[in-house]
Structure formats: structure tokens, C-alpha cells
Amino acid sequence: MERQDQNRKDNQTSNRGFASMDQDRQREIASQGGKAAHESGNAHEFDSEEAREAGRKGGQAAHASGNAHEFDSEEAREAGKKGGQASQGGSGNSNKSDSDETGKKGGSGSRSSS
């Protein structure tokens, strides 16, 4: 018994349990559990309001802990562009040349400057 306690203190980890598995194996098991929950009807399905609230809480937590991604202006522009296209069913490029030019900071587009 004393030897087991010493080994546990030396290693500080166990070779048993979910936490000791590599991340790929954990992900595989979690995926199987999620699929089984959906098949049996026990999985929670978020509506859009619940998803929005969960995302808001996650963003607040990430910012509070300093783990949030800080977008530079180019990344923010790309994200906004993708969001706009998605909200239009992916057909947001009818005036592609105008929107590309006017969306850029300092771009002239079809506006006249006087």
C-alpha cells in the first residue's frame, strides 16, 4: 500500500479514466455519446435564443479570463462579410465590386469625393 501511495505522488497522474486518455480518444468517446443521445431523443437541442445566450456567456467568460480572440481590422472585415453573406442565403455578391471597394477603409468605391 505504501508503495502505491509513493508511486501516485511521484507521477501525480493516474493511467485510468477519461482524463488520462489522449484528446483524440476523448473526442471520439464524446462524439459517440452525443450521437447516442440524439438517437434516443435525450439530447438538448438549442433554439436560436438559447444558442445566442450561450454564445454571449461564453464570450463574456473568455474576455474576463483573457482568452478571447482579439480581431484585427482585416479579420473583422472578413467575419462581417461572411456574416452578411450567410444572412442573405449566401447570395450576397450581387454588387460584389461595389461592396468590396466601399467596405475597405479608405476605399473610394462609387462614391465621389469633393
Side-chain angles (χ1 to χ4, degrees):
M1 184 68 163
E2 189 175 316
R3 179 138 175 92
Q4 286 178 338
D5 290 341
Q6 185 61 42
N7 285 341
R8 200 171 291 136
K9 287 178 186 174
D10 291 343
N11 293 338
Q12 295 295 315
T13 60
S14 170
N15 61 352
R16 297 172 42 184
F18 194 75
S20 68
M21 296 177 191
D22 66 73
Q23 284 188 336
D24 289 336
R25 181 68 179 136
Q26 288 180 355
R27 195 171 287 117
E28 182 182 324
I29 291 171
S31 175
Q32 290 171 353
K35 289 175 185 175
H38 279 281
E39 287 174 10
S40 68
N42 292 324
H44 178 75
E45 302 217 5
F46 285 93
D47 63 24
S48 60
E49 185 57 36
E50 286 176 306
R52 184 177 299 114
E53 181 66 13
R56 186 184 68 76
K57 286 182 178 181
Q60 286 178 336
H63 281 281
S65 66
N67 293 324
H69 178 74
E70 299 289 335
F71 285 92
D72 63 28
S73 59
E74 180 62 22
E75 288 175 314
R77 187 182 73 75
E78 275 300 310
K81 183 177 174 182
K82 287 181 181 179
Q85 288 173 346
S87 69
Q88 296 173 14
S91 62
N93 53 0
S94 59
N95 291 327
K96 185 170 177 20
S97 61
D98 286 346
S99 65
D100 281 352
E101 286 302 313
T102 57
K104 293 179 183 174
K105 190 174 182 179
S108 59
S110 59
R111 293 178 285 169
S112 65
S113 56
S114 331

